Amino acid sequence: MKLTDLPDSRGHFGPYGGIFVAETLMAALDELRVEYDRARQDPAFMAEFEYELKHYVGRPSPVYHAKRLSEQYGGAQIYLKREDLNHTGAHKINNTIGQALLARRMGKKRVIAETGAGQHGVASATVAARYGMECVVYMGAEDVARQAPNVFRMKLLGATVVPVSSGSKTLKDALNEAMRDWVTNVESTFYILGTAAGPHPYPMLVRDFQCVIGRECIQQMPELTGRQPDAVVACVGGGSNAIGVFHPYIPYEDVRLIGVEAGGSGIGSGKHAAPLTAGTPGVLHGFRSYLMQDENGQIIETHSVSAGLDYPGVGPEHSYLKDAGRAEYVAIDDDEALAAFHDLCRLEGIIPALESSHAVAHAKKLAPTMRKDQTILVNLSGRGDKDINTVAKVAGITL
Amino acid sequence: MSRIGQTFTALKAQNKKALIPFITAGDPGKGLTVPLMHALVESGADIIELGVPFSDPMADGPVIQRASERALANKVGLKDVLAMVAEFRKSNTTTPVVLMGYANPVEHMGYEAFARAASTAGVDGVLTVDIPPEESAGVADVFKAHGLDPIFLLSPTTPESRIEQVAAVAGGFIYYVSLKGVTGAANLDTEEVAQKLAMVRKHCSLPVGVGFGIRDGATAEAVARIADAVVVGSRIVGEIEAAPEGECAIRVKHLLADLRRGVDAASK
């Protein structure tokens, strides 16, 4: 079986993925799988999705040659895929439009979502407003505190934000709570899952909706440089922006695919969010993948300066690509990500999301090991306006 | 026949229904679980469901979530739970014990190693909430090979076509979740449950236990009229949470006696 043919009919990427949920959700996931299968073969559905991406999101997003950054880093030429220029400021909107169109098709009037940094929550609240649906967003209480501007954005857009105070009060707990809501309101509610994880068919359908990123790059890079990049670098939390740019590149065997996890205070400290780098396989949130867990199989708390990467699991396709050797995964710690954040601000006039800054930071390490005529494509998954409070706090500045 | 099968056969001969209380292992204290299990048996439990604490109990409501958090704070893991069952078995060799929990702690230990250890400890059945029949290849058969009944859930949303699929792999008894939602939800419609149970019995010869929404003798009686077993979880765990220190066994015994009266009233 080819790497691009996955998952199988039950959502398996080799040993990863699958459907690990309580019986109450099985029928709803089956309904979603059948409906998505019909939708993706329906030219009218796909045409509407593409129309919305063009006229509402503003796609295609440009690829930009970051010349001053490349010069500073001293090696390969760095190109940025500008997902930060999308409506709502990140790649998340590609997926929420796809899922909202599915929800409408299935006659669901209420949507729910989980969010970490708040970008997926904002993107969900946005499409709910756009299509006239009720929207409830679950967000860890700790994230509500550190991402206040996004909480207010969601409220402006008409969504209800529910702070989640169980467990570690972050993204994983928000996901638990969203699942609990879905189990309770399964007939009226569509769950807009924000990353390429969760039970099948979510990892597949989120990937499919995000693949527009990689498909555009495959067209844009030869226009700019005459060929495909030597390496594609993307940050990985749940992994939706990364799989969106990686998946279309899988058949291009000369292109290195590098996923960058959150190294937090350093892998050695144990305070990080890098399951592919330092975790082991297990089952969480409806699927099997690499996880951060202790010797009893309990999920351990993660640490990252970036709320969007603060997640103990990772999408199952990344686990498969790691084992298959088709993609490499590395970790960048908080300090390295913050340094790259400032580099991009000062050298290119772009304030990147802290999540995306992890990818830029790896390009900073990689570029000097490459020739000046080689290219690195960095997926700049989101803009950093939402992070200015966090960056100020780290610098000891009160805004 | 497994201890679970024997229990249901014996109850049927007496025209009685089973009462299955649930507690979370390690809540409220590591040393309190085995005495609580004995207290449950003394006040009328036929089978004990013992919750294995997990950091991310996705299918549980706030009451059992908090019990899980308390147990984890007491550093109770799967190995400790097995040790508790072994301790319980030193003085009780007849009451079946079912472990209920999530896949990851078991997966982390390894299904084969877990099944061997659980069987040695005296566990009779295992319900892993997030392993549906579709993902149970290499799990249910391993459990069966070690004499453990793999217990599966059915829910109001389960279509008739799936009931057969579940029945094909299930052992011990079927756990019918009477409500959509997480554990601890309210408002039980026994008529709706009765209709669904008739459909379940068409495809499955195992006894059927009903859980979710049972809070007192009256609801226990209503459910016992239509099911083979009555499963009570959040109500008991809530009682444990509310009990002042040292009074938890007494409070649970009072509650269980009320539930027992309800269950027995149904067979009169």
Side-chain angles (χ1 to χ4, degrees), chain A residues 106-378:
Chain A
M106 293 168 78
K108 313 270 184 181
K109 301 256 186 261
R110 177 178 183 264
V111 296
I112 56 171
E114 85 295 338
T115 198
Q119 292 302 94
H120 174 59
V122 169
S124 297
T126 299
V127 296
R130 164 78 183 80
Y131 299 110
M133 295 161 171
E134 183 195 347
C135 180
V136 176
V137 179
Y138 292 93
M139 187 168 187
E142 190 175 309
D143 294 335
V144 168
R146 62 180 168 172
Q147 304 286 344
N150 269 347
V151 174
F152 191 58
R153 270 184 201 109
M154 287 183 262
K155 289 180 179 168
L156 287 175
L157 293 160
T160 305
V161 179
V162 181
V164 177
S165 298
S166 57
S168 60
K169 304 177 178 62
T170 59
L171 177 57
K172 82 175 176 78
D173 309 286
L175 217 152
N176 289 334
E177 211 51 39
M179 284 278 185
R180 291 180 187 122
D181 179 313
W182 199 31
V183 167
T184 310
N185 303 295
V186 64
E187 271 136 19
S188 67
T189 298
F190 188 101
Y191 179 15
I192 302 186
L193 215 155
T195 192
H200 181 64
Y202 282 107
M204 174 177 78
L205 71 85
V206 174
R207 173 198 74 196
D208 293 352
F209 291 140
Q210 291 294 0
C211 272
V212 64
I213 304 171
R215 282 197 303 270
E216 285 175 3
C217 292
I218 285 169
Q219 281 215 321
Q220 291 164 319
M221 285 305 289
E223 287 167 15
L224 284 164
T225 68
R227 57 189 189 85
Q228 297 300 341
D230 295 286
V232 176
V233 180
C235 65
V236 178
S240 70
N241 90 79
I243 206 67
V245 69
F246 287 0
H247 190 79
Y249 269 111
I250 288 173
Y252 294 77
E253 287 171 11
D254 296 335
V255 180
R256 279 176 73 185
L257 305 176
I258 306 171
V260 185
E261 296 191 297
S265 312
I267 295 296
S269 72
K271 289 177 182 279
H272 57 82
L276 289 165
T277 308
T280 51
V283 173
L284 178 70
H285 291 151
F287 64 106
R288 183 180 284 122
S289 198
Y290 280 86
L291 289 181
M292 306 253 307
Q293 53 184 327
D294 69 12
E295 68 283 359
N296 288 313
Q298 306 294 348
I299 308 309
I300 53 183
E301 285 188 23
T302 51
H303 297 267
S304 172
V305 70
S306 130
L309 302 182
D310 212 346
Y311 181 64
V314 62
E317 192 162 0
H318 287 294
S319 290
Y320 187 78
L321 291 175
K322 171 190 160 80
D323 286 5
R326 179 61 190 94
E328 309 154 52
Y329 295 89
V330 297
I332 283 290
D333 65 32
D334 288 349
D335 292 343
E336 294 169 321
L338 282 161
F341 173 94
H342 290 296
D343 292 342
L344 207 57
C345 290
R346 297 295 180 92
L347 292 166
E348 298 291 350
I350 296 170
I351 301 177
L354 282 174
E355 291 78 13
S356 322
S357 300
H358 285 71
V360 176
H362 186 66
K364 187 177 189 172
K365 285 184 177 172
L366 187 63
T369 70
M370 295 166 69
R371 296 191 316 268
K372 283 201 154 108
D373 62 342
Q374 289 184 301
T375 54
I376 300 171
L377 173 64
V378 173

Side-chain angles (χ1 to χ4, degrees), chain B residues 61-144:
Chain B
V63 173
I64 294 181
Q65 283 175 48
R66 287 196 298 267
S68 220
E69 283 180 15
R70 285 192 297 271
L72 289 174
N74 294 331
K75 307 230 178 301
V76 173
L78 183 52
K79 283 179 192 154
D80 304 291
V81 179
L82 294 177
M84 289 171 190
V85 176
E87 177 68 24
F88 173 75
R89 280 277 169 259
K90 283 184 185 166
S91 49
N92 182 321
T93 55
T94 53
T95 308
V97 175
V98 172
L99 296 190
M100 182 166 177
Y102 293 81
N104 201 54
V106 177
E107 169 137 337
H108 194 72
M109 187 183 278
Y111 292 100
E112 179 73 35
F114 162 77
R116 205 180 312 120
S119 180
T120 307
V123 172
D124 302 285
V126 182
L127 198 177
T128 31
V129 177
D130 51 350
I131 302 188
E134 284 84 347
E135 298 289 350
S136 72
V139 179
D141 38 346
V142 171
F143 288 178
K144 282 178 181 166

Side-chain angles (χ1 to χ4, degrees), chain A residues 70-87:
Chain A
S70 305
E71 206 169 300
Q72 171 81 24
Y73 287 177
Q77 300 307 303
I78 296 166
Y79 288 77
L80 305 174
K81 175 63 171 169
R82 299 291 308 276
E83 290 298 297
D84 61 314
L85 295 177
N86 291 339
H87 178 44

